[in-house]
Amino acid sequence: MGESARRVAALGECMIELVRRPDGTFTMGFGGDTLNTAVYMARLGVATDYVTALGDDGNSDAMVATWEAEGVGTGHVLRVPNRVPGLYMIETDDSGERRFLYWRDSAPARDLFVLPDSPALVADLESYDLLYMSGISLAIWGERGREVLFPMLDRLRARGGRVAFDTNWRPRLWPDRETAQRAYDAMLRRTDIALPGVEDLRGLYGDADADSAMARVRGAGVTEIVLKLEKPGCIVSAPGVEETVPSEKVAKVVDTTAAGDSFSAGYLSARLKGLGPVEAARSAHRIAAVVIQHRGAVIPRDAMASVLDG
């Protein structure tokens, strides 16, 4: 993949994040699957823009300031008057597994592709070298948004740009399974680097195991696949490569929030720096292993010292 991919963007939604602490109190932050990936990519030395829509409130201002402090580009954050971001709450059990509660139905990110400024945004995104999005992104944009998204991706790929997609299946975000399947089918046909999960594809399509999940993604024409397994690890499939890559061992899992998001960041960052798919997967596992030993979606930067460049 190499350093030739100079313009990189992640597309999706960031929400206000409330995390319940063991003593019952809450701390507030900001998170969302593709935003988490953008932050971790920026920390790993890959200049990444975040593409979303926010309101004109103080929390939206704080989000933008936080992203800029992380080195994430905010030039394509659309602002919508009299709107506020969505909100989610994380509750984590003793084993580190988490439960999410959402308040996001009127979030401006849902309207990203149908706002007055959207045509100019779309025109510029077509010039990017790599766009990254997730199944959550697909869901929140709805049919109207996807009608804009898919032709834009076709134009981007026609001129040599690439698309990366994390399946991130959330059934509650979709009106029905058939609508979701059509959207995922269309998205996979436009994907160059897929980061699916076995559990995602079983939930969405009923695929029984890793072999059937891999066959489905290959059948859509995706040439580079990193299939996340139910047991820790992944299978990397790319031209001339087919290898199972085990995950890093962790003494204690504290919080699995953003494990997949940081994995995607690690993988894509490594590929953009010229590493091969298998080495990129190993790097991704190292990043995720650090993240799950801390609470919250975006962990403190100093907690990542062992995996950051320099």
Side-chain angles (χ1 to χ4, degrees):
M1 198 168 172
E3 293 277 6
S4 61
R6 299 187 182 279
R7 297 194 80 194
V8 178
L11 289 71
E13 177 183 23
C14 181
M15 293 172 285
I16 298 168
E17 175 192 88
L18 296 180
V19 179
R20 187 190 294 274
R21 298 297 182 180
D23 64 0
T25 62
F26 291 88
T27 59
M28 190 183 87
F30 308 120
D33 64 337
T34 55
L35 182 277
N36 302 334
T37 299
V39 169
Y40 287 122
M41 288 183 73
R43 288 183 180 182
L44 292 166
V46 175
T48 305
D49 294 334
Y50 195 57
V51 181
T52 192
L54 293 174
D56 59 356
D57 61 302
N59 284 319
S60 295
D61 292 340
M63 283 186 185
V64 172
T66 299
W67 305 343
E68 290 174 345
E70 288 281 2
V72 174
T74 60
H76 286 318
V77 177
L78 304 186
R79 304 296 292 269
V80 184
N82 303 313
R83 300 276 290 277
V84 296
L87 178 147
Y88 72 103
M89 182 186 301
I90 302 173
E91 296 179 327
T92 308
D93 65 21
D94 293 339
S95 67
E97 289 301 320
R98 73 278 195 219
R99 175 174 177 248
F100 293 89
L101 304 173
Y102 293 97
W103 295 263
R104 75 196 307 177
D105 289 349
S106 60
R110 289 177 172 266
D111 297 329
L112 179 66
F113 290 115
V114 295
L115 296 167
D117 293 333
S118 298
L121 169 68
V122 168
D124 195 41
L125 288 178
E126 291 175 22
S127 69
Y128 273 66
D129 297 287
L130 178 69
L131 297 183
Y132 168 80
M133 62 209 72
S134 75
I136 293 175
S137 309
L138 281 190
I140 65 167
W141 293 328
E143 294 282 5
R144 290 178 64 204
R146 294 190 292 272
E147 287 173 359
V148 178
L149 171 72
F150 292 146
M152 183 262 285
L153 297 182
D154 290 339
R155 294 189 295 270
L156 175 140
R157 297 178 77 217
R159 52 152 294 276
R162 305 189 79 191
V163 175
F165 177 58
D166 184 327
T167 50
N168 230 349
W169 162 241
R170 297 291 187 273
R172 286 180 294 179
L173 294 179
W174 294 90
D176 54 69
R177 194 172 304 272
E178 291 73 22
T179 299
Q181 289 172 349
R182 287 194 301 272
Y184 272 73
D185 289 347
M187 185 67 212
L188 287 170
R189 289 195 299 271
R190 295 166 170 87
T191 296
D192 300 284
I193 303 173
L195 298 126
V198 171
E199 291 181 86
D200 286 345
L201 298 188
R202 179 181 297 127
L204 175 58
Y205 293 106
D207 293 337
D209 53 24
D211 288 343
S212 55
M214 185 68 81
R216 178 179 299 279
V217 180
R218 279 202 194 105
V222 183
T223 56
E224 185 170 337
I225 305 166
V226 186
L227 180 65
K228 291 168 279 185
L229 303 172
E230 293 172 283
K231 63 181 181 180
C234 65
I235 299 173
V236 176
S237 176
V241 176
E242 182 85 13
E243 186 168 332
T244 298
V245 183
S247 66
E248 295 275 312
K249 292 184 178 180
V250 174
K252 180 176 174 56
V253 175
V254 174
D255 185 354
T256 58
T257 304
D261 308 335
S262 58
F263 179 91
S264 293
Y267 185 83
L268 294 174
S269 296
R271 293 291 284 127
L272 287 163
K273 293 175 184 178
L275 272 67
V278 172
E279 283 303 315
R282 292 191 180 115
S283 178
H285 282 315
R286 287 194 291 272
I287 303 300
V290 171
V291 169
I292 63 176
Q293 295 179 73
H294 299 82
R295 292 194 180 276
V298 177
I299 69 173
R301 186 184 181 91
D302 58 11
M304 298 181 64
S306 63
V307 292
L308 294 181
D309 293 338

